[in-house]
Amino acid sequence: MAIDNAYWRDPALGEPRTLELPGGPVRAFDTGSGAPIVFVHGLLVNANLWRKVVSRLVPDFRCIALDMPLGSHQVPLPAAAPRGAPAAAAMVADALDALDLDGATLVGNDTGGAISQIAVTTRPERVGRLVLTSCDYRDNFPPKMFSYLKLAAAVPGLLWAMLQPMRMASQRHTPIAYGWLVKRPIDRAAEDSYVGPAIADADIRRDVRGFMRGSDTSHTNAAADRLGEFDRPALIAWSQDDRFFPVEHGRRLAADLPDARFELVPDARTFSMEDNPGRLSELIAEFVRRS
C-alpha cells in the first residue's frame, strides 16, 4: 500500500525553517507571537504530533515545534553526527540558542520527555518553564513493549524489515506500533508522516539506529538525579489512561522537581495531544500565564 503525505506537515504548525546546529540540521516550525513554547516529540513521530495543541495555543503564544531526528524527520543528520539522547538534548538547547529564546517553556512527550529532562539538567539557561506529558523516566526508557527497537538498532537490516508492515494502516494500530499510544485513530496524513520517512530513506533509518544505540537508562537516571537542580516552574501533565508510562512515574517526576504541579489529563493515553488536545492546551496555557 502506498504511503501518502509521508513528508506532510500540518499548516497549523506554521512555516518551517532549518536550523543549522552544531550536531546537524533540525527543522523548526514557528508560528504565533507572545511567550515562546517549544515542543519536543519522541521516537517515530514528528512535529505533527503537536498540531492540535499548536492550533489552540497560537492565538496567545509563539509556538515552535521541532522536527527532531528521531525517525519521522525530513532532513537526515550528517553521517558523522553524534546520536543518542544526550546529543538530542544538546540539539534542543542549541535550537533555543539559534532561535535566541530566553525563558522558553519546554514541552516534552514520550522520548521527547526524556530528552527534555536531560536538556534542563545539562543546559537549562534558556528554559523558563518545563512541561512533561507522559514520558520516559529512569529505567522505563524505552518502555518494555518497545524494547525491540534496541534489537532492531543492533542487527543490520532488521529495522527496515520491521518497518515494512507499517505500510498497512492495520499494522500501525497494533500494541507494538501506535495502537496503545492513543484511544482514537490518528489522522491518516499525520500517521503517514510518522511511518513514511524511515520506510523510504536509509539515512533516516541510520538516525533511528544511532539514537537507540546512543541512548541508555544511565542517561535518564542521571537526569532524574539532577532534576532537583531545576528550580523553575514545572507542570507534569500525565495521561490518566496511559499503558506505557505509569501515573506513579508522573507523580515521582513532580516530586523530583522543586517547583512542580501534577495534573492528570483524562480520557487520554500517551499521546494526550491526540486524544485530549483541548484539556492539554488549557493546562499549558494556564501554566504559562500564571508561572
Side-chain angles (χ1 to χ4, degrees), residues 6-252:
Y7 295 99
W8 173 84
R9 296 298 182 270
D10 193 299
L13 298 173
E15 291 298 317
R17 58 188 287 194
T18 299
L19 307 177
E20 297 295 341
L21 306 178
V26 168
R27 297 187 90 197
F29 294 79
D30 193 344
T31 186
S33 60
I37 305 175
V38 179
F39 298 91
V40 185
H41 63 77
L43 198 67
L44 294 174
V45 292
N46 53 42
N48 282 328
L49 182 73
W50 303 104
R51 66 197 184 282
K52 298 178 184 178
V53 171
V54 167
S55 65
R56 288 165 167 83
L57 293 176
V58 75
D60 300 305
F61 303 99
R62 181 182 176 188
C63 296
I64 301 151
L66 301 178
D67 237 5
M68 297 292 292
L70 299 176
S72 303
H73 51 300
Q74 294 174 272
V75 184
L77 296 175
R83 292 170 176 82
M91 295 189 90
V92 170
D94 288 336
L96 299 183
D97 286 343
L99 293 164
D100 196 24
L101 299 179
D102 284 311
T105 300
L106 190 62
V107 184
N109 172 255
D110 192 17
T111 328
I115 292 167
S116 297
Q117 291 170 57
I118 297 169
V120 301
T121 54
T122 54
R123 291 177 57 187
E125 295 80 13
R126 290 186 178 267
V127 181
R129 303 170 198 83
L130 175 65
V131 179
L132 295 176
T133 64
S134 291
C135 65
D136 302 81
Y137 174 71
R138 290 198 176 271
D139 291 333
N140 194 31
F141 178 56
K144 289 181 180 180
M145 183 74 81
F146 294 106
S147 60
Y148 68 86
L149 290 170
K150 282 283 192 181
L151 177 63
V155 179
L158 184 56
L159 180 62
W160 178 88
M162 294 178 74
L163 286 168
Q164 296 314 301
M166 297 299 108
R167 295 178 181 275
M168 297 180 290
S170 61
Q171 295 303 304
R172 303 174 194 175
H173 305 155
T174 62
I176 62 169
Y178 301 100
W180 282 3
L181 293 167
V182 289
K183 284 191 163 189
R184 285 164 280 279
I186 299 170
D187 301 337
R188 177 60 186 269
E191 193 176 75
D192 281 354
S193 81
Y194 296 160
V195 302
I199 289 175
D201 192 324
D203 289 340
I204 301 295
R205 292 194 298 275
R206 178 191 64 201
D207 290 345
V208 178
R209 293 194 305 272
F211 179 85
M212 294 306 301
R213 289 198 297 262
S215 301
D216 189 84
T217 55
S218 64
H219 302 137
T220 43
N221 278 300
D225 288 343
R226 295 186 61 187
L227 284 174
E229 301 171 18
F230 184 77
D231 60 358
R232 294 154 212 175
L235 168 67
I236 311 301
W238 217 257
S239 298
Q240 188 169 28
D241 303 321
D242 204 298
R243 289 178 177 261
F244 300 108
F245 302 109
V247 170
E248 178 56 30
H249 285 189
R251 297 190 189 278
R252 287 173 60 187

